[in-house]
Amino acid sequence: MKSTPDLCDEYPDLVQVVEPMFSNFGGREQFGGPILTVKCFEDNSLVKELVATPGQGRVMVVDAGGSMRRACLGDMLAEQASVNGWSGLIIYGCIRDADEIMATDIGVQALGTHPMKTEKKGIGEVDIAVTFGGVTFHPGDFVYADNNGVIAATQSLI
């Protein structure tokens, strides 16, 4: 996969660049693919449900409301996502088990880490437009991430 700077240079009119706020926590330093969105707040029930399904190279974009009080992804869910063929997860919120996730073959970008897990109340929405970092992510569009940043596009760039 080309780097996000290369994609920005090649397709300046097609990409939207997310404001710099994410750090790379996954075993894959570069990842990208079609978007599946989740909107949840301090409840990762839907993330848990979805990582158990075939990822088919998609990226789960999780709008966790920017919460810095709970972790929306841990090592067991990251491992399940990897086994089920997800390309990666972008979490507008926190993760936990950072060392284990770094050793997992999955892309993970998040705002930070927090040791506390979320509650499981089954609250949230899937496949809706979500907005954070100055970009609106639409299900079926494409997202690419690496150590340089996160970009979105309405069509595949690779």
Side-chain angles (χ1 to χ4, degrees):
M1 185 176 108
K2 292 182 179 181
S3 71
T4 56
D6 287 345
L7 291 172
C8 287
D9 290 351
E10 195 168 335
Y11 304 103
D13 297 331
L14 297 179
V15 301
Q16 295 181 65
V17 179
V18 179
E19 295 167 3
M21 64 178 79
F22 290 99
S23 295
N24 191 355
F25 292 100
R28 290 184 190 166
E29 291 194 354
Q30 287 186 313
F31 63 99
I35 295 171
L36 178 136
T37 61
V38 176
K39 186 174 180 75
C40 58
F41 185 74
E42 298 182 0
D43 179 345
N44 73 343
S45 301
L46 291 174
V47 174
K48 181 178 182 181
E49 184 180 309
L50 289 165
V51 297
T53 65
Q56 302 167 320
R58 293 176 293 171
V59 176
M60 192 181 307
V61 175
V62 181
D63 180 353
S67 174
M68 302 301 281
R69 303 184 309 184
R70 299 284 177 143
C72 207
L73 181 76
D75 60 339
M76 292 187 292
L77 296 185
E79 176 63 28
Q80 193 169 26
S82 174
V83 167
N84 285 324
W86 289 88
S87 177
L89 296 97
I90 296 172
I91 310 281
Y92 182 53
C94 289
I95 65 154
R96 66 188 207 160
D97 305 314
D99 294 335
E100 292 84 351
I101 290 174
M102 284 182 201
T104 304
D105 183 24
I106 187 99
V108 176
Q109 295 254 349
L111 298 180
T113 60
H114 196 287
M116 184 68 74
K117 66 182 179 178
T118 68
E119 295 185 35
K120 307 278 190 294
K121 297 180 180 177
I123 299 170
E125 297 175 86
V126 177
D127 274 339
I128 63 166
V130 298
T131 303
F132 54 82
V135 172
T136 298
F137 298 88
H138 298 275
D141 283 359
F142 292 80
V143 66
Y144 304 95
D146 61 19
N147 288 325
N148 298 293
V150 177
I151 62 173
T154 58
Q155 65 189 58
S156 176
L157 303 179
I158 57 171

